[in-house]
Structure formats: structure tokens, C-alpha cells
Amino acid sequence: MRLLPRSHQKGNGPQLQINLLGPMEVVDDGVQVRIPGEKLRSILAALALSVGRSVSRSELIDELWGEEPPNSAENSLHGHIARLRRVLVAHGGKAALRNVIQTSPTGYVLELTEEDVDASRLLQLVARAEAASAHNPKGAVDLLNEAVSLWRGPALIDAGHGMICQVAYTQLEEVRLGAYERLFDIRLRLDQPRAVIPGLEQLHARYPLHERFCEQLITALYLSGRQADALNTYHRTREYLSQHLGLQPGHGLRDKFQAILRQSPHLSISGAGEEVIPIS
């Protein structure tokens, strides 16, 4: 499965938007469209995750019923697709102007663009930020803030438990955490350590086993003149890792701890009065 499909030309006027980074939202010409039932949401999510690409009937059957589909699975799938189409056209918005779920020789295609699905927009924003980070770090920060702001809760939370959605959830969560890592890396590089401390404290509390956030947090604390807090945060994390996983911190976190102990010249005390980054 791929989350980032081929590019499509975006049409004029209001678009049908499908948002998966939280409870499913379908917005057609500014009107919320309720998608009733987990199976319909599962189908739409699977198609939206591969927008513009055919998803086979067998993939969708597996998504809905797993390894033990009923004998009537293919007919049931046809019925669910027909019902989903009716839901999308019922209120007379953009989706009513054309059938956005097209039948292909092997399955079904959601005929929208990458811009119409928030999961695809997320990947585009992160890729653009990565390309901009070296020559335009402030622009990269704006792109990454826009990317993480797309989240409204756990991705695909109400789209069922099929393999397509479960794999996509894992991938999207990795992208989300990676976007935060890159965002804070750039902000630290821009000499804004105090600005990132509140956000890093939230993320470190939420993901105590994610060592990269701890590494960034103790760096930000040290660069803000709070060396004792940085060392205490490291020791608490080391104790947590030992108690819950029986492990010691990895090389990156240990090296950062040693650099702070030595007051390494590669680290400098700076940063005050910057805008605080909120965590969604």
C-alpha cells in the first residue's frame, strides 16, 4: 500500500475533502457528510489512502472481513459500495456532480486528488519541509507546523481494524513523530530553545520511550540555562527505560547527556522570548 499516489490536476471550485487524521470527516462544498457505519468508513478510508489508484475487490474484502469472509462477501461489497455512493451524492454537493467512486477492471478508484485527502497533504508538506530545511529553515518550520496541525486525534480511529487502515495508522504515526522531531531540530538550530520546551515536555510525557524527544528536551533545557533540569530529566528517563524495558538509553541520548555534563562548546546558552509552539 502507498499513501502518496500519483499527482492529479485539481479542479476548480470547492472540493470534496476527506480527512483521516482523526475521526473521519467528509466535507463536500463546506457541508459535513456523515458516513454511517464502520464498513462504509473502512471502504472510504481504504480508497482515500490510495486516492487515484485502484484498490482491488480482494483487498477491500480482506479489509472488511479479514481472513474469514462470508460466502456472500463480493455481493456484500458491491452493496456497500452502492450505499457509499448514495451517501456521497445525497446532499447535492460536489460529489453529486460526478461519481467519485469509479469501478475499475479489478476494483474501485476514488477519483479525487492528493490535495483532497489530509493524509496525502501531510506527506506533501513534510516532503516540502525537508527540501526547504537547509536553505529556508523558517519556511520549513511553517510547513511542519501546518503538517502537524492536520491532526485532530488518532488517525483512522473510526475506520475499522483492517490491515490497510492498521498499516496506514502505523505509517502516519511515524510521519507525525518524525515531523515533530524535525520541527524541534530546526527550532533548536534557529536558537529558539525556550520556545520548544513546553511542546517537548508534552511529547516526552506522552511518549516516554521515544528517546529522541528526551534528547531534544534536555538540549533545549541546557541551552536555556537550565542544566540541572536537563540532567534530572535524563536521569528520570534512564530510570524509566530501565524499569519498563530493562534497557539503558541509546547512544544518541547518552552522548547528549555527556556533552551537557562537559558543557561542550558545541552547545551554547541562548534563546529567549520566542513564540511557543503548541502541540496538537
Side-chain angles (χ1 to χ4, degrees), residues 164-221:
I164 292 174
C165 287
Q166 290 301 301
V167 170
Y169 167 80
T170 300
Q171 293 176 340
L172 290 167
E173 185 66 9
E174 289 175 355
V175 171
R176 177 176 183 263
L177 296 181
Y180 273 124
E181 287 181 12
R182 193 69 178 126
L183 174 61
F184 292 127
D185 275 341
I186 297 171
R187 292 300 293 262
L188 286 169
R189 198 174 84 206
L190 291 172
D191 286 336
Q192 298 177 352
R194 292 184 185 177
V196 303
I197 288 173
L200 282 169
E201 287 177 333
Q202 291 178 49
L203 284 169
H204 180 49
R206 193 181 305 173
Y207 302 97
L209 302 179
H210 194 85
E211 292 186 29
R212 183 68 179 130
F213 292 142
C214 182
E215 181 182 337
Q216 293 173 315
L217 176 57
I218 66 174
T219 301
L221 288 167

Side-chain angles (χ1 to χ4, degrees), residues 30-252:
V31 177
Q32 291 270 356
V33 182
R34 179 177 173 271
I35 307 297
E38 186 176 281
K39 283 187 166 51
L40 295 195
R41 291 192 295 271
S42 295
I43 292 170
L44 186 56
L47 295 175
L49 289 165
S50 296
V51 61
R53 180 177 69 87
S54 178
V55 181
S56 70
R57 283 182 282 275
S58 62
E59 288 178 292
L60 291 172
I61 287 171
D62 287 345
E63 189 70 8
L64 296 182
W65 291 286
E67 296 181 356
E68 297 182 358
N71 293 333
S72 60
E74 189 151 346
N75 287 335
S76 294
L77 174 62
H78 293 326
H80 289 311
I81 291 287
R83 186 182 177 203
L84 181 56
R85 284 169 169 160
R86 289 195 297 271
V87 169
L88 291 174
V89 304
H91 55 87
K94 181 81 174 181
L97 301 179
R98 59 191 174 95
N99 181 6
V100 295
I101 300 177
Q102 295 287 332
T103 302
S104 73
T106 59
Y108 301 94
V109 181
L110 186 66
E111 289 290 352
L112 296 176
T113 75
E114 294 171 3
E115 288 295 318
D116 299 323
V117 180
D118 62 352
S120 292
R121 292 202 307 278
L122 165 74
L123 298 184
Q124 291 177 326
L125 288 165
V126 170
R128 289 169 55 198
E130 186 62 31
S133 60
H135 62 87
N136 183 14
K138 291 184 178 180
V141 166
D142 290 340
L143 291 167
L144 289 168
N145 273 324
E146 184 179 352
V148 298
S149 73
L150 293 173
W151 257 270
R152 296 167 292 105
L156 301 156
I157 189 171
D158 57 351
H161 305 286
M163 185 60 67
I164 292 174
C165 287
Q166 290 301 301
V167 170
Y169 167 80
T170 300
Q171 293 176 340
L172 290 167
E173 185 66 9
E174 289 175 355
V175 171
R176 177 176 183 263
L177 296 181
Y180 273 124
E181 287 181 12
R182 193 69 178 126
L183 174 61
F184 292 127
D185 275 341
I186 297 171
R187 292 300 293 262
L188 286 169
R189 198 174 84 206
L190 291 172
D191 286 336
Q192 298 177 352
R194 292 184 185 177
V196 303
I197 288 173
L200 282 169
E201 287 177 333
Q202 291 178 49
L203 284 169
H204 180 49
R206 193 181 305 173
Y207 302 97
L209 302 179
H210 194 85
E211 292 186 29
R212 183 68 179 130
F213 292 142
C214 182
E215 181 182 337
Q216 293 173 315
L217 176 57
I218 66 174
T219 301
L221 288 167
Y222 174 76
L223 293 176
S224 300
R226 297 169 58 184
Q227 182 174 1
D229 289 337
L231 298 178
N232 288 336
T233 298
Y234 172 84
H235 288 305
R236 287 195 302 271
T237 299
R238 184 183 63 179
E239 184 175 336
Y240 187 94
L241 291 169
S242 177
Q243 289 180 349
H244 289 79
L245 296 180
L247 298 174
Q248 290 298 306
H251 290 294

